[in-house]
Amino acid sequence: MSETWPELAFEGLEWESRYGDVGPRAARRGRPRERYTAAVPPAIASLPLAVDHATATLADEASTALARFDSELGAELAPFSSLLLRSEAAASSQIEHLTASARQIFTAEIGAPAERNASEIVSNTRAMRTAIALSDQLTAETVLEMHRVLMEHDHHHEAGAFRREPVWVGTSARSPVGADYVAPAWERVPELVDDVMAFARRIDLPRLAQVAVAHAQFETVHPFTDGNGRTGRALLQAMLRSDELTKNVTVPVSAGLLTDTRGYVAALMAYRQGNIAPIIERVAEACFVAIENARELVADVRRIRQSWAERVTARTDSGVWRALDVVARQPVLNATVLATEMGVAQRNAYPHIAKLVEAGILVSENEYRHGVLYRNDEVLHALDAFAARAGRRR
């Protein structure tokens, strides 16, 4: 436990109820006003980050494991970078109780009609991509852009803008009075986000511990009306890339957190009481679990891809081999997607599709108002198996 990390402070604020009495007498009295207590997080940008030896050792070992796994896939980047990033987005969404099958997610990704959960997971995937792309710019503007991409199709919340109202966790959705946790007053949010991003940019701290603490502080600030958890875990991925713990792939750390969501939430609560060790340990342990799960996914996809080579007969210079590479990372597609991914005219994609359908690698299905889609169930099943493993407590 760090003895230098401050606990949250609190302040009393006034809440004007939106649900007061109705009728003439209520109008004369005005809306009822009540007092509630909101968090006041400490500024952390320049704080030292000291943890006990066991926690530091665990974090160092997890950092080494991340770097090793990332380097192992460097030579096979194409299929696995996209699959692992989508798996991370799906796991992060599942923590927020947003679930969908791999088939539904990939179908939504190419623009076909899909269930709302699948569409939201696709938005989370885009937010993860944005986080990785902006990983060398860890600023408040980076956070706002992640949130904008995540929430751009949600008409109930303002995308890419800090909240201008209270948010809280508790039994009542109508009032923060008596809530388990009330995030800082909205007026404090811009300064607090600038502070946590300044902490995230420091180069003098143990890297994985820094990532975990920055994530916990971000979740404590809760700068948006919705999407805080998913944006915070996208920020976690941006920091892993910025710190060069991952250079090639997105290690699905959220899949590791998903195996013990209660422990994850408890670690965030401990952080707010001045104990940073639990969140560092939880993130480190999640890295180990995520790597183990991801290795199994990689092995499954490798085996599937090798089996395809035995089922297809073509010249070594045939474009069908590149088409198979696309299917490995995009197991639901149409001719337009395949042509775009291969960099060829759409008419040149159809012979490859026909050959893969003939070999039993692709299955066709007619989508109402969206034409014919093609899918590979083997990769989809491997991704669903990954998600099932992530959802099991270990």
Side-chain angles (χ1 to χ4, degrees), residues 344-360:
V344 301
Q346 186 168 324
R347 66 178 180 277
N348 295 330
Y350 287 108
H352 301 317
I353 289 175
K355 198 168 191 66
L356 297 183
V357 170
E358 181 184 359

Side-chain angles (χ1 to χ4, degrees), residues 120-369:
E120 291 199 25
I121 293 169
V122 170
S123 293
N124 199 13
T125 302
R126 293 178 182 138
M128 288 284 178
R129 284 201 183 98
T130 300
I132 299 303
L134 299 176
S135 60
D136 60 344
Q137 305 170 37
L138 296 177
T139 65
E141 288 70 28
T142 304
V143 170
L144 289 170
E145 181 61 13
M146 291 178 205
H147 188 262
R148 185 194 67 76
V149 173
L150 174 69
M151 305 295 291
E152 62 183 339
H153 300 299
D154 188 319
H155 303 300
H156 301 288
H157 301 275
E158 189 174 1
F162 294 135
R163 59 182 169 86
R164 295 180 63 85
E165 61 185 85
V167 295
W168 60 89
V169 177
T171 56
S172 173
R174 299 176 61 160
S175 167
V177 178
D180 296 331
Y181 175 74
V182 183
W186 65 263
E187 294 90 345
R188 296 181 179 273
V189 166
E191 183 178 357
L192 286 167
V193 173
D194 283 338
D195 176 76
V196 71
M197 297 311 288
F199 177 86
R201 292 192 299 271
R202 284 172 59 181
I203 59 173
D204 62 323
L205 300 174
R207 293 183 294 177
L208 193 65
Q210 178 187 20
V211 170
V213 168
H215 172 68
Q217 180 76 353
F218 181 88
E219 297 303 332
T220 297
V221 175
H222 237 62
F224 304 111
T225 54
D226 192 35
N228 292 284
R230 285 167 287 168
T231 304
R233 288 183 289 276
L235 173 61
L236 187 153
Q237 289 292 341
M239 289 189 64
L240 290 177
R241 187 62 59 93
S242 177
D243 285 341
E244 297 188 340
L245 289 170
T246 59
K247 296 181 181 181
N248 301 301
V249 295
T250 301
V251 179
V253 176
S254 293
L257 294 172
L258 188 59
T259 62
D260 184 11
T261 53
R262 287 187 179 181
Y264 173 44
V265 172
L268 290 173
M269 296 301 293
Y271 172 83
R272 293 164 188 169
Q273 297 168 358
N275 186 357
I276 61 175
I279 191 61
I280 297 170
E281 292 166 357
R282 189 69 200 94
V283 169
E285 291 161 355
C287 290
F288 289 118
V289 174
I291 291 168
E292 178 187 350
N293 196 354
R295 284 188 197 280
E296 194 164 344
L297 174 61
V298 167
D300 286 344
V301 175
R302 279 177 178 155
R303 175 183 48 77
I304 292 165
R305 179 65 179 84
Q306 289 167 1
S307 75
W308 295 346
E310 299 169 1
R311 291 150 62 183
V312 173
T313 303
R315 300 191 315 269
T316 55
D317 61 347
S318 172
V320 74
W321 304 114
R322 285 196 295 133
L324 285 174
D325 291 336
V326 175
V327 174
R329 64 179 182 265
Q330 185 76 37
V332 176
L333 45 71
N334 55 20
T336 302
V337 170
L338 181 61
T340 300
E341 291 290 321
M342 292 182 66
V344 301
Q346 186 168 324
R347 66 178 180 277
N348 295 330
Y350 287 108
H352 301 317
I353 289 175
K355 198 168 191 66
L356 297 183
V357 170
E358 181 184 359
I361 292 169
L362 288 180
V363 177
S364 65
E365 58 179 303
N366 284 312
E367 276 287 340
Y368 176 62
R369 292 186 302 180

Side-chain angles (χ1 to χ4, degrees), residues 7-30:
E7 297 183 34
L8 289 181
F10 295 91
E11 63 181 344
L13 299 174
E14 193 170 74
W15 170 255
E16 184 178 278
S17 175
R18 304 173 187 145
Y19 305 98
D21 297 333
V22 295
R25 293 180 61 191
R28 288 196 299 271
R29 289 197 303 268

Side-chain angles (χ1 to χ4, degrees), residues 82-131:
S82 58
L83 292 179
L84 290 172
L85 184 141
R86 290 181 177 95
S87 297
E88 165 65 3
S92 179
S93 299
Q94 193 172 343
I95 291 174
E96 309 298 330
H97 308 292
L98 296 170
T99 60
S101 69
R103 178 177 171 181
Q104 291 169 333
I105 295 167
F106 278 94
T107 300
E109 191 172 76
I110 63 174
E115 296 181 359
R116 179 179 175 183
N117 278 10
S119 297
E120 291 199 25
I121 293 169
V122 170
S123 293
N124 199 13
T125 302
R126 293 178 182 138
M128 288 284 178
R129 284 201 183 98
T130 300

